[in-house]
Amino acid sequence: MILLVHWLLTTWGCLVFLGPYAWANFTVLALGVWAVAQRDSVDAISMFLGGLVATIFLDIIHISIFYPRYGLTDTGRFGAGMAILSLLLKPFSCCLVYHMYRERGGEFLLHAGFRGPSQEHSAYQTIDSPEVPSDPLAGPETKGHTPQGY
């Protein structure tokens, strides 16, 4: 449903905004088709999510620079309105796609280093020995043994 709505709004938005607007949005929609086709792929849904987030910023820039100020017909106003509506719906779509990303087993990795050790690293063992030898020059073969004859 997300793909259909954004495809329709992008198509109508292309009545006014051509070129980079169309390329960016239709490329992200192609990533969305890939995410639908491969339902078990975390990569496909993460690429679609990243593309949606990127097009939010790209659409803001594109609409603000190329919005026609003069001579806008009714069709032009309709197309610009649909492009703006698509932009307004994208954060909501990102939330839905993020929920699908989590269902497919994706993890939120932006703050992974700040949360402390994770479950994956629980089997980590240090190679340092917990006890320090009394004689730092003694090798492992003489440690704890006294030479015979002494």
Side-chain angles (χ1 to χ4, degrees), residues 66-118:
F66 295 109
Y67 187 83
R69 298 189 191 272
Y70 304 107
L72 197 60
T73 63
D74 290 339
T75 305
R77 276 195 293 276
F78 175 77
M82 294 301 109
I84 293 170
L85 182 60
S86 175
L87 176 61
L88 292 174
L89 289 177
K90 279 186 183 178
F92 178 69
S93 298
C94 285
C95 291
L96 294 175
V97 172
Y98 179 71
H99 180 70
M100 288 185 273
Y101 170 73
R102 293 297 302 240
E103 285 178 350
R104 292 186 187 188
E107 295 181 15
F108 186 63
L109 298 176
L110 287 179
H111 300 290
F114 301 111
R115 292 188 291 184
S118 66

Side-chain angles (χ1 to χ4, degrees), residues 9-48:
L9 293 174
T10 300
T11 303
W12 285 335
C14 286
L15 293 172
V16 176
F17 305 109
L18 300 172
Y21 176 82
W23 275 103
N25 283 290
F26 285 126
T27 302
V28 170
L29 291 175
L31 290 172
V33 170
W34 177 39
V36 169
Q38 292 186 349
R39 294 203 178 265
D40 296 333
S41 175
V42 176
D43 293 336
I45 196 77
S46 65
M47 292 281 291
F48 181 48

Side-chain angles (χ1 to χ4, degrees), residues 106-131:
E107 295 181 15
F108 186 63
L109 298 176
L110 287 179
H111 300 290
F114 301 111
R115 292 188 291 184
S118 66
Q119 297 277 342
E120 298 171 345
H121 300 295
S122 63
Y124 176 76
Q125 295 179 357
T126 61
I127 59 171
D128 296 334
S129 63
E131 59 187 47

